[in-house]
Amino acid sequence: MSTSETSRYVRLRVEVVLEITGSDELTGAAVGRIDADEFMPEEERTHARSAVREDDAEALAYLIEPFDLVSEVPGVELVQASWSSEEVDYDPDAQEWDLDEEDEVDEHDTERV
């Protein structure tokens, strides 16, 4: 199969674990982003402010923008994106968090660790 016959679309999966070291700063930045969103209806804005004040993961989701991850990569255009965040119990010694673990990758996938 030649390159012209293959799909031009690529799904990039990224998993990131972040440690929240400044909850107040995170919440403040998320509220600032919400307040600056000129297209958000006021009812939604009120709900969003409440959500980010109660949950750091929700605050983080308001600050992460997938477009920013690829906006300067030459030759690509973001077509669709979805993301979510959730609080997790993180144990760097647990096998489930072992980033060096060999995952099964099919011959058309590229995995970067």
Side-chain angles (χ1 to χ4, degrees):
M1 185 179 280
S2 71
T3 303
S4 63
E5 295 172 333
T6 61
S7 175
R8 294 177 33 157
Y9 298 96
V10 174
R11 181 182 305 246
L12 174 65
R13 292 186 179 112
V14 177
E15 184 169 327
V16 178
V17 177
L18 303 170
E19 179 181 2
I20 306 300
T21 59
S23 184
D24 291 341
E25 294 89 352
L26 176 65
T27 300
V31 169
R33 168 76 58 93
I34 292 164
D35 289 345
D37 186 341
E38 61 189 57
F39 300 108
M40 185 181 291
E42 190 56 39
E43 184 176 307
E44 185 179 336
R45 188 183 315 273
T46 300
H47 173 74
R49 284 187 198 116
S50 175
V52 302
R53 287 183 176 123
E54 294 174 14
D55 185 354
D56 285 341
E58 193 73 29
L60 186 60
Y62 271 93
L63 295 170
I64 299 299
E65 176 56 57
F67 175 76
D68 293 343
L69 297 174
V70 297
S71 64
E72 295 187 26
V73 176
V76 300
E77 180 179 333
L78 181 64
V79 176
Q80 180 180 8
S82 67
W83 66 104
S84 65
S85 62
E86 62 185 345
E87 290 188 18
V88 296
D89 292 325
Y90 177 67
D91 177 0
D93 297 325
Q95 186 172 357
E96 68 183 278
W97 296 104
D98 186 5
L99 295 179
D100 294 327
E101 183 177 303
E102 295 278 335
D103 289 331
E104 289 184 27
V105 177
D106 88 21
E107 64 192 53
H108 301 291
D109 285 347
T110 302
E111 182 176 320
R112 299 199 74 167
V113 178

